[in-house]
């Protein structure tokens, strides 16, 4: 029998309460534990991309194109690790604060 995915939703209408920060840190910890992680960033400011040091404006298609233009969702998935290596070079390393001891 196939394992079911665990879904964690973080939502609040109030701005500035660290939703994106919490989401990205949880995602990083799960990823470092060997889990596959998908962040669906519905924030119009694309804060999750910014947390990883990436410019969300270059990602096309994105969630807008998926919801409005009917683009296939798989085409809007961005591998953050690969994008960070492109942006910051092969010398990119996971910060020590994320290392699991």
């Amino acid at each position: 029998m196939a394992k079911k995915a665990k879904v964690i939703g973080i939502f609040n209408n109030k701005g500035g309460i660290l939703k994106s920060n919490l989401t990205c840190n949880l995602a990083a910890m799960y990823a470092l534990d060997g889990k596959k992680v998908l962040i669906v960033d519905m924030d119009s400011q694309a804060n999750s991309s910014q947390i990883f040091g990436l410019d969300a404006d270059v990602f096309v298609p994105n969630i807008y194109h998926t919801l409005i233009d009917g683009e296939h969702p798989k085409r809007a998935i961005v591998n953050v690790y690969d994008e960070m290596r492109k942006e910051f070079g092969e010398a990119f390393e996971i910060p020590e604060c994320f290392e699991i001891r």
Side-chain angles (χ1 to χ4, degrees):
M1 178 181 256
K3 291 176 87 175
K4 291 187 177 186
K6 179 184 285 189
V7 177
I8 299 173
I10 299 172
F11 173 83
N12 194 316
N13 278 340
K14 175 91 173 81
I17 62 164
L18 302 175
K19 296 178 296 287
S20 296
N21 191 301
L22 173 63
T23 299
C24 291
N25 280 293
L26 282 174
M29 295 311 297
Y30 276 112
L32 288 171
D33 197 30
K35 307 280 192 292
K36 290 185 177 183
V37 178
L38 174 67
I39 298 173
V40 180
D41 189 2
M42 301 292 288
D43 182 359
S44 60
Q45 296 173 331
N47 285 334
S48 294
S49 297
Q50 290 177 12
I51 286 170
F52 290 107
L54 302 173
D55 179 7
D57 292 335
V58 302
F59 302 132
V60 176
N62 55 38
I63 196 71
Y64 172 86
H65 299 102
T66 299
L67 295 173
I68 303 302
D69 298 338
E71 187 69 55
H72 195 282
K74 283 188 177 182
R75 295 209 50 232
I77 294 174
V78 175
N79 184 318
V80 172
Y81 183 76
D82 290 346
E83 292 299 322
M84 289 176 78
R85 289 187 66 96
K86 282 185 216 171
E87 180 79 21
F88 304 111
E90 291 301 315
F92 167 73
E93 293 181 20
I94 296 171
E96 282 183 34
C97 63
F98 288 128
E99 288 181 9
I100 297 176
R101 302 179 201 278

